[in-house]
Amino acid sequence: MISKALDVDNRTATTHFILLGFPTRPVFQLLLFSVFLATYLLTLLENFLIILAIRSDGQLHKPMYFFLSQLSFLEMWYVTVISPKMLVDFLSYDKSISFNGCMTQLYFFVTFVCTEYILLAVMAFDRYVAICNPLRYPVIMTNQLCGTLAAGCWFCGLMTAMIKMVFIARLNYCGTPHINHYFCDISPLLNVSCEDSSQAELVDFFLALMVIAVPLCVVVASYATILTTILKIPSAQGRQKAFSTCASHLTVVTLFYSTTLFTYARPKLMYAYNSNKIVSVLYTVIVPLLNPIIYCLRNREVKAALKKIILCKQSGSREDKALSG
């Protein structure tokens, strides 16, 4: 009875977690801080410029760019959930995070990951309608439908994260668990729990299967139909033009799905390997940084809109200098 009482006390006493992060020498910590800070700020700047370009250029007021602006907005918050705490830990000896802070970080991170899975599937559907049903595209992809689809992505992400959190947050964690990660993710929390987490793992696996497998099927089916349609186009120029409209999105989908699929399909198993942190860096830091670059390099309309913004700012600053002179 005494041991049980002490066990209960230990479980209820857990108010903080320790994030081990990247254990290296102080010099390397400073180097990592500089690299990740530059990456974080550049990611925010890239996505902000894309949103600004889409809002300011009337030619980009189309469904494809509406969803792209949603993706950019999503990824700005996506990296902000992880990066600030990680950057602080690089410079601090105290790498603790409160229980509530950890659960809050996890909730929003899961929300953004799940929302991105579904949003990428919606963007694939948009490309399917544009290429396979070009004449009906304006009738099908109305502003109302686009708004409903975007809201549906966010709603599904929020609800999925809420259900996962109900099972993960109520697990018992003894003492002050040390998490071998740089942020609060599902797999670390399942592994440091001091009680059987099989029910939470089962729920997480089922929801991950729904959020990953269903959008993935939509993406595969959409691009299979798109490829069949493109191959039927008689001219090589026509095929190239049709493929160029979805090449950027296909690249982004491949990057995001390939780096997150195995991590969240079997979260508890993946945590057993230290390489999990390296894989996590890919989809929490590198992929959000590359996505805007991919869309800018592969899309002439976005590049043209960004050039207009830059040129307008430059001409505006010259006029201000001339007036002040």
Side-chain angles (χ1 to χ4, degrees):
M1 290 295 291
I2 293 173
S3 63
K4 286 183 178 179
L6 290 173
D7 192 33
V8 170
D9 289 340
N10 284 336
R11 291 179 180 180
T12 55
T14 301
T15 58
H16 290 80
F17 297 96
I18 304 296
L19 296 172
L20 298 181
F22 302 93
T24 59
R25 296 177 181 179
V27 175
F28 289 109
Q29 291 286 310
L30 287 173
L31 178 61
L32 289 173
F33 171 81
S34 302
V35 171
F36 282 108
L37 176 62
T39 303
Y40 173 56
L41 295 177
L42 185 57
T43 301
L44 292 181
L45 178 62
E46 289 173 348
N47 285 289
F48 175 74
L49 286 175
I50 285 182
I51 295 172
L52 184 62
I54 291 172
R55 289 182 62 88
S56 60
D57 194 327
Q59 293 183 348
L60 299 184
H61 292 173
K62 302 174 185 177
M64 180 174 73
Y65 298 112
F66 169 74
F67 292 124
L68 176 57
S69 65
Q70 290 288 315
L71 180 64
S72 293
F73 178 76
L74 169 66
E75 292 200 329
M76 289 176 71
W77 288 104
Y78 178 82
V79 296
T80 300
V81 170
I82 304 299
S83 295
K85 172 59 179 170
M86 178 176 63
L87 292 170
V88 169
D89 286 346
F90 280 131
L91 303 178
S92 174
Y93 288 104
D94 180 17
K95 301 182 187 299
S96 65
I97 182 171
S98 67
F99 181 87
N100 291 334
C102 184
M103 294 302 156
T104 301
Q105 185 185 56
L106 177 64
Y107 173 73
F108 284 108
F109 179 71
V110 173
T111 295
F112 298 139
V113 169
C114 294
T115 302
E116 185 157 349
Y117 274 121
I118 302 168
L119 182 60
L120 289 173
V122 169
M123 294 173 76
F125 172 74
D126 172 71
R127 291 300 82 210
Y128 156 75
V129 178
I131 294 173
C132 301
N133 296 282
L135 298 178
R136 298 183 60 197
Y137 181 72
V139 179
I140 297 174
M141 300 303 295
T142 61
N143 292 336
Q144 184 178 1
L145 178 62
C146 291
T148 302
L149 289 173
C153 293
W154 285 97
F155 177 77
C156 290
L158 288 165
M159 292 305 297
T160 303
M162 188 178 295
I163 296 171
K164 288 189 177 190
M165 290 304 301
V166 168
F167 287 88
I168 294 174
R170 70 182 184 181
L171 291 173
N172 290 311
Y173 303 94
C174 303
T176 305
H178 287 62
I179 298 176
N180 187 24
H181 216 317
Y182 58 91
F183 71 99
C184 291
D185 202 359
I186 295 171
S187 53
L189 289 169
L190 289 175
N191 278 272
V192 298
S193 172
C194 58
E195 67 169 301
D196 182 21
S197 60
S198 57
Q199 185 181 22
E201 187 180 3
L202 182 64
V203 170
D204 179 72
F205 175 75
F206 175 75
L207 290 174
L209 191 66
M210 294 295 293
V211 172
I212 296 173
V214 174
L216 183 59
C217 288
V218 172
V219 171
V220 172
S222 297
Y223 276 105
T225 311
I226 288 170
L227 182 60
T228 304
T229 303
I230 290 176
L231 292 175
K232 291 179 182 178
I233 298 174
S235 66
Q237 186 178 0
R239 288 194 297 269
Q240 184 178 0
K241 184 178 179 181
F243 182 75
S244 66
T245 62
C246 56
S248 300
H249 176 257
L250 185 59
T251 305
V252 169
V253 167
T254 303
L255 282 172
F256 185 73
Y257 273 79
S258 62
T259 53
T260 58
L261 183 60
F262 296 104
T263 301
Y264 292 103
R266 291 296 302 275
K268 197 167 183 179
L269 180 64
M270 278 299 298
Y271 185 71
Y273 304 97
N274 286 326
S275 59
N276 187 41
K277 279 191 280 190
I278 299 173
V279 175
S280 297
V281 168
L282 291 176
Y283 64 80
T284 59
V285 178
I286 305 301
V287 172
L289 174 69
L290 293 178
N291 285 351
I293 298 172
I294 292 168
Y295 271 104
C296 289
L297 290 177
R298 303 285 306 184
N299 194 299
R300 293 179 182 177
E301 291 180 318
V302 174
K303 283 194 289 186
L306 288 172
K307 284 180 181 178
K308 286 181 183 178
I309 292 174
I310 294 170
L311 290 174
C312 285
K313 286 184 177 179
Q314 287 179 347
S315 62
S317 62
R318 287 173 185 171
E319 287 178 3
D320 290 340
K321 287 180 181 179
L323 289 172
S324 61

